[in-house]
């Protein structure tokens, strides 16, 4: 068994969230000692059950609180900065909170790292929605960023800040963007967090999966095990310092086809509906990625196909969270 993180002391911000908790499990399996810093903010996908059964040191703290962040950084070698408020539409209704957590909170993290633990490695976790509309292009890591809502704009600002700290202060900081991620431990009862999570939750309950017509816009969809493997590889490779990598899957899938795959492997049925007022304005259309440069840098690419990943996801929820179907 691989022990790539043996003797490494790891801090995961947002450790009780979807990505953070799966990352914690993977780091533990690789021999790392894991500390989580999470404030438990509602509406972020946070769920304390996500760390149940894992030997993680849990700390309650806000990434905007310098004292809490400095204490959490003490003695660690590797930081995965996952903490964020992630709802796209909700960011327009609470713009200052979104800015405070996603951009100011990241700056607080970086300043604390510079002051108290400047030799530690930090991986900033961003989102491919920072790109905004890409039209018919297949976007690579250098594609211009033109976000259409505030969550993505603030994540773009946070990423740029992280890379500036790497450049100006010599910190061991990398930035990684994740596309649409699904799998165990994801939030499945909040349509504002992830269309995949919402679809999977409805599928578990045998309900209709409503897709805004025609649903032909393509997305890059990655199973969380692949997303986590990519993040771990970024954390271990010095060649990624000061750079952006994208952990995207080789396949592009239309939203309606993703819904049909979920219905076929988990439950429910697919119905096309009209766009609600205001939602179409923040849809980016196609979001197709060319990740060959990142795959080369990491010596690896995601391998879990959608059908296999959905089967795994449905089985996990039925075993570990049967109540999610109620």
């Amino acid at each position: 068994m691989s022990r790539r993180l043996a003797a490494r002391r790891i801090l995961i911000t947002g450790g009780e969230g979807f990505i953070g908790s799966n990352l914690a499990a993977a780091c533990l399996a690789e021999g790392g000692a894991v500390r989580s810093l999470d404030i438990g903010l509602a509406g972020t996908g946070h769920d304390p059950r996500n760390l149940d059964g894992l030997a993680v040191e849990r700390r309650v703290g806000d990434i905007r609180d310098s004292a809490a962040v400095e204490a959490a950084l003490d003695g660690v070698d590797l930081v995965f900065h996952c903490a964020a408020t992630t709802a796209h539409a909700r960011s327009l209704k609470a713009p200052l909170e979104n800015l405070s957590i996603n951009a100011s909170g990241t700056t607080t993290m970086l300043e604390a790292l510079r002051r108290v633990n400047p030799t530690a490695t930090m991986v900033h976790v961003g989102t491919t929605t920072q790109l905004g509309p890409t039209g018919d292009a297949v976007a690579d890591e250098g594609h211009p960023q033109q976000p259409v809502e505030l969550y993505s704009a603030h994540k773009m600002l946070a990423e740029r800040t992280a890379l500036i700290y790497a450049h100006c202060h010599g910190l061991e900081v990398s930035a990684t963007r994740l596309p649409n991620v699904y799998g165990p431990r994801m939030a499945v009862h909040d349509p504002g967090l992830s269309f995949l999570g919402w679809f999977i939750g409805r599928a578990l309950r045998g309900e209709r999966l409503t897709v805004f017509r025609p649903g032909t816009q393509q997305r890059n969809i990655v199973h969380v095990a692949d997303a986590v493997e990519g993040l771990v590889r970024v954390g271990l490779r010095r060649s990624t310092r000061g750079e952006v990598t994208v952990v995207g899957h080789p396949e592009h899938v239309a939203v309606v086809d993703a819904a049909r795959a979920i219905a076929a492997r988990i439950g429910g049925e697919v119905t096309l509906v009209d766009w609600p007022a205001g939602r179409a304005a923040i849809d980016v259309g196609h979001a197709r990625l060319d990740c060959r440069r990142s795959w080369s840098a990491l010596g690896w690419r995601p391998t879990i196909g959608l059908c296999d990943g959905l089967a795994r996801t449905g089985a996990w929820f039925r075993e570990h969270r049967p109540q999610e179907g109620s």
Side-chain angles (χ1 to χ4, degrees):
M1 179 179 175
S2 172
R3 302 284 286 179
R4 292 174 295 175
L5 298 173
R8 300 295 291 271
R9 296 159 298 177
I10 300 159
L11 171 65
I12 302 174
T13 69
E16 294 182 355
F18 169 40
I19 302 297
S21 59
N22 279 281
L23 189 53
C27 289
L28 289 168
E30 292 281 357
V34 179
R35 176 183 296 163
S36 165
L37 180 67
D38 201 308
I39 194 176
L41 191 66
T44 62
H46 156 269
D47 189 335
R49 296 176 299 172
N50 283 341
L51 293 181
D52 285 354
L54 299 178
V56 173
E57 178 194 343
R58 302 196 197 197
R59 294 194 181 189
V60 178
D62 192 327
I63 59 170
R64 296 167 291 182
D65 180 345
S66 294
V69 171
E70 289 183 5
L73 285 169
D74 182 48
V76 303
D77 309 302
L78 177 59
V79 181
F80 292 101
H81 179 42
C82 303
T85 177
T86 59
H88 297 262
R90 205 171 294 152
S91 71
L92 298 171
K93 298 177 181 178
L96 296 180
E97 179 187 55
N98 196 278
L99 176 67
S100 175
I101 294 172
N102 291 343
S104 297
T106 297
T107 305
T108 301
M109 284 288 305
L110 291 160
E111 260 300 285
L113 190 72
R114 183 181 70 83
R115 287 196 306 266
V116 304
N117 198 345
T119 61
T121 296
M122 174 172 154
V123 180
H124 173 266
V125 181
T127 170
T128 58
T129 62
Q130 293 168 206
L131 297 181
T134 57
D136 292 328
V138 180
D140 65 12
E141 295 84 350
H143 193 280
Q145 299 182 68
Q146 297 177 316
V148 297
E149 32 72 34
L150 291 175
Y151 161 68
S152 298
H154 296 154
K155 291 294 284 184
M156 178 182 72
L157 174 58
E159 176 188 278
R160 192 66 247 165
T161 303
L163 296 177
I164 288 171
Y165 268 76
H167 175 70
C168 293
H169 297 301
L171 296 184
E172 298 288 312
V173 176
S174 305
T176 301
R177 298 176 193 156
L178 300 180
N180 299 102
V181 184
Y182 70 100
R185 299 183 176 92
M186 77 183 308
V188 296
H189 285 284
D190 188 340
L193 294 177
S194 160
F195 79 90
L196 289 171
W198 181 240
F199 284 173
I200 289 169
R202 293 185 69 83
L204 288 166
R205 298 186 294 274
E207 299 172 352
R208 291 185 177 181
L209 283 60
T210 52
V211 177
F212 303 140
R213 58 171 52 95
T216 52
Q217 66 272 41
Q218 292 184 331
R219 294 289 185 266
N220 198 275
I221 299 175
V222 176
H223 189 272
V224 69
D226 274 337
V228 163
E229 173 63 20
L231 290 171
V232 169
R233 284 176 177 256
V234 171
L236 290 173
R237 276 171 166 69
R238 291 215 64 199
S239 60
T240 64
R241 303 300 180 259
E243 301 292 335
V244 173
T245 52
V246 180
V247 182
H249 197 275
E251 298 175 347
H252 303 121
V253 182
V255 171
V256 68
D257 290 336
R260 288 168 179 156
I262 291 168
R265 284 154 187 84
I266 299 178
E269 60 183 42
V270 177
T271 301
L272 293 174
V273 299
D274 291 331
W275 284 85
R279 284 297 299 274
I282 64 171
D283 182 69
V284 297
H286 291 311
R288 295 178 288 213
L289 304 174
D290 177 357
C291 304
R292 286 175 293 180
R293 192 170 75 194
S294 295
W295 296 336
S296 177
L298 299 178
W300 163 90
R301 66 175 63 189
T303 59
I304 301 173
L306 183 61
C307 295
D308 178 29
L310 289 172
R312 297 189 200 185
T313 301
W316 186 90
F317 273 98
R318 292 187 179 105
E319 177 181 356
H320 298 280
R321 302 274 175 86
Q323 70 277 14
E324 300 294 355
S326 60

